[in-house]
Amino acid sequence: MLSPLAKILLTSTSIAPVGLVYAWVAFWQEDRFTAAIIAAISLVLVPICHSLINYSRRTIEKFSIKIQSIEPSDKENTGFLLLYLLPLFTDKINTLNWVVWIPMLAIFAALTATGYNYHFNPLLSLLGWHFYRIQSDGVTYVLITRRHLRAAVGTLVVAQLTEYILLDVEG
């Protein structure tokens, strides 16, 4: 399983697309410094996400799991879509209260990464990954895979990222 720091980093990468939206708004509001900082942070999160997934595929212990049922789990993106649109509802990027936003995002990342919470990561979706809820031996997991699964496929080889999140290492 991932360490607590790796979980926080992977969870934090989900804000990269949101950051790019904020950078875009800041750029067009002629706050170039803020746009550059936010864009740089967002762009650094992309290779971090990619590296964490590749590291997990190579190093975390692998095991086979028999899938008994499966359903798409990408539908959690509605909250993120609203978060993407939030900058459009403000007059200026500098009217956002960053003193509130930064700790709130940090707390969100920490709670998601250290609990049994699962949150959709749109960056992984942009990188070609899909999310499914699967059931095996009476336990429900979230499976992250590059495959397009339409039905229970039998057995998969996975790595366990967290207690309830599995990564397909062959797909």
Side-chain angles (χ1 to χ4, degrees):
M1 282 195 264
L2 292 175
S3 71
L5 176 61
K7 287 187 219 177
I8 289 171
L9 279 172
L10 188 58
T11 303
S12 297
T13 65
S14 66
I15 66 167
V18 175
L20 292 175
V21 171
Y22 277 83
W24 176 262
V25 171
F27 178 82
W28 285 104
Q29 292 178 354
E30 298 186 10
D31 188 352
R32 306 289 196 250
F33 179 75
T34 301
I37 295 295
I38 295 172
I41 291 169
S42 297
L43 292 174
V44 164
L45 290 172
V46 174
I48 288 173
C49 181
H50 186 69
S51 297
L52 280 169
I53 291 297
N54 283 337
Y55 172 81
S56 298
R57 291 177 86 186
R58 286 190 322 269
T59 61
I60 294 179
E61 179 182 356
K62 297 157 188 63
F63 61 94
S64 295
I65 188 167
K66 179 148 178 55
I67 298 176
Q68 296 164 333
S69 68
I70 188 166
E71 69 176 275
S73 186
D74 291 355
K75 58 190 170 209
E76 279 82 4
N77 62 2
T78 305
F80 268 97
L81 291 175
L82 291 174
L83 190 57
Y84 290 164
L85 297 175
L86 189 60
L88 304 176
F89 299 119
T90 186
D91 290 329
K92 300 283 181 203
I93 195 78
N94 60 5
T95 63
L96 292 174
N97 189 347
W98 294 104
V99 173
V100 173
W101 275 96
I102 291 172
M104 182 186 69
L105 289 173
I107 290 169
F108 168 77
L111 288 174
T112 302
T114 59
Y116 294 128
N117 300 316
Y118 162 68
H119 211 283
F120 175 76
N121 187 330
L123 183 54
L124 285 173
S125 291
L126 290 172
L127 295 173
W129 294 89
H130 306 283
F131 300 81
Y132 297 93
R133 278 196 181 87
I134 63 167
Q135 191 165 35
S136 178
D137 296 326
V139 179
T140 301
Y141 298 96
V142 172
L143 173 68
I144 303 172
T145 182
R146 286 193 183 267
R147 302 177 202 213
H148 295 276
L149 302 176
R150 306 257 187 263
V153 294
T155 303
L156 289 177
V157 177
V158 297
Q160 192 164 4
L161 298 181
T162 69
E163 289 82 357
Y164 298 105
I165 299 178
L166 305 175
L167 179 66
D168 181 4
V169 296
E170 294 180 336

